[in-house]
Amino acid sequence: MKKHFFTVKDVVRITGVTARTLHFYDKIDLLKPIRMSNNGYRAYSREDLESLRTILFLKEMGISLKEITDIMQLSKQEQLQILEMHYETLLAKQQRLGAIISALEEYVSGKDIFKLNIFNNSSILPIQEQYSREAKMIYGETEKYKEYEKNIEKLSDKEKENLYYEFANNMEKVFKRLAEQIDKHPSSKDIQKLIVEWKSYLEQTMTCDTEILKCIANTYKFDNRWNNYINQFSDEDLCEFVYQAIMYYCKTSRL
């Protein structure tokens, strides 16, 4: 049977790649066609087409052309060994992408970023850890923060994770209940009762005096992230309302 050869135009029609791509692969010695003696045009054999399909498959996997060039020089068995390693990499990326998609769905549906596990298994620190480090830079020299830090260090990683999650849930519940009663005065008995409950969640890991409560109130009021987080629970300025309620508590309560 006579061996059949394909022109550049044929390969373009068969595979969908561009002539420019084929010329580039020829230039970098990734896929070199033969030159037909009668016209000097590039021509590709069926084996070349199979090689091209392998190249396109590897490229689709995100492998660089330089690495593909090296892979194409290997035996079939050696190629499979290399691809097994790429399979593990792709599987990890798939799992990571799935986690990101899930986090995005939760965030779009209204879940606070504090509760999202978007940086797990990443070089970026988890959100909870970022907040902890930020708080340490701001309050680290205070006795109350040192007390908090000692209490946290006693916990296992799992206990810390559960504590952060429970704390976030409790805070969300308090802010929602404050939002439901935003028509009342910040000094009212019902509002102050909720502030006492809010304080009790903080005191699961530290003793809260007037100084630390005022610091937290000011953080709520002047940090846009906390502002946005708290105000999501009300159409009004809930953050300002919470600030006023905490400040009233600090002014009138004997801590």
Side-chain angles (χ1 to χ4, degrees):
M1 178 179 179
K2 186 176 180 181
K3 192 172 185 179
H4 188 71
F5 289 92
F6 302 94
T7 64
V8 169
K9 186 176 181 180
D10 293 332
V11 175
V12 169
R13 292 179 62 186
I14 292 170
T15 65
V17 301
T18 65
R20 184 178 180 180
T21 296
L22 293 174
H23 293 162
F24 181 68
Y25 289 173
D26 180 9
K27 181 180 178 180
I28 64 175
D29 296 329
L30 178 56
L31 183 67
K32 295 200 72 68
I34 64 169
R35 296 280 182 172
M36 303 300 288
S37 58
N38 57 337
N39 56 25
Y41 290 159
R42 292 178 176 86
Y44 296 86
S45 66
R46 287 183 171 177
E47 289 79 8
D48 292 332
L49 272 178
E50 288 306 309
S51 293
L52 177 59
R53 292 184 179 111
T54 301
I55 292 167
L56 296 175
F57 172 54
L58 296 176
K59 188 170 182 291
E60 201 68 20
M61 290 169 57
I63 302 175
S64 68
L65 289 179
K66 183 179 184 304
E67 192 173 357
I68 291 174
T69 302
D70 295 335
I71 291 174
M72 295 301 293
Q73 306 304 314
L74 302 175
S75 66
K76 191 72 173 179
Q77 186 61 36
E78 289 172 324
Q79 287 182 7
L80 293 176
Q81 291 174 353
I82 295 291
L83 293 180
E84 283 179 2
M85 291 188 290
H86 279 283
Y87 170 79
E88 296 298 329
T89 300
L90 285 174
L91 191 60
K93 287 182 179 180
Q94 181 188 44
Q95 293 171 344
R96 177 67 182 147
L97 184 59
I100 292 173
I101 291 173
S102 295
L104 178 59
E105 290 173 346
E106 292 175 341
Y107 187 67
V108 169
S109 67
K111 191 171 185 179
D112 183 66
I113 194 171
F114 183 81
K115 296 183 180 179
L116 302 180
N117 296 319
I118 52 177
F119 297 126
N120 290 359
N121 302 316
S122 166
S123 59
I124 305 299
L125 292 174
I127 292 291
Q128 293 86 347
E129 179 66 19
Q130 290 185 33
Y131 278 126
S132 295
R133 294 193 178 198
E134 179 182 348
K136 185 173 183 177
M137 290 182 184
I138 298 172
Y139 307 116
E141 296 305 314
T142 65
E143 291 302 317
K144 301 305 177 185
Y145 188 86
K146 290 175 182 178
E147 175 192 348
Y148 160 79
E149 201 167 35
K150 286 180 181 179
N151 292 333
I152 289 296
E153 285 175 356
K154 297 175 184 177
L155 304 178
S156 66
D157 289 342
K158 186 62 178 177
E159 288 172 329
K160 289 178 187 176
E161 182 181 343
N162 291 337
L163 177 66
Y164 292 145
Y165 185 80
E166 183 181 356
F167 177 79
N169 275 335
N170 288 332
M171 284 294 167
E172 182 174 318
K173 289 176 184 177
V174 170
F175 290 139
K176 285 181 177 179
R177 286 160 63 192
L178 284 165
E180 291 170 358
Q181 303 183 61
I182 198 170
D183 57 318
K184 298 180 180 179
H185 195 275
S187 64
S188 70
K189 183 178 178 180
D190 290 337
I191 298 302
Q192 287 301 300
K193 185 177 179 181
L194 286 172
I195 294 301
V196 171
E197 181 181 343
W198 166 82
K199 176 174 172 282
S200 71
Y201 297 134
L202 294 172
E203 290 191 319
Q204 289 176 351
T205 54
M206 63 190 293
T207 302
C208 293
D209 58 10
T210 300
E211 178 188 5
I212 196 69
L213 292 180
K214 286 182 177 179
C215 283
I216 293 172
N218 279 296
T219 300
Y220 287 174
K221 182 179 175 70
F222 297 109
D223 189 315
N224 285 334
R225 293 166 303 175
W226 278 107
N227 227 280
N228 293 333
Y229 167 66
I230 294 173
N231 281 337
Q232 71 176 311
F233 302 115
S234 175
D235 293 332
E236 300 182 53
D237 193 350
L238 179 62
C239 191
E240 176 64 24
F241 181 78
V242 172
Y243 169 80
Q244 294 293 340
I246 296 171
M247 297 304 282
Y248 181 83
Y249 177 85
C250 292
K251 180 180 179 181
T252 59
S253 298
R254 294 181 179 179
L255 300 178

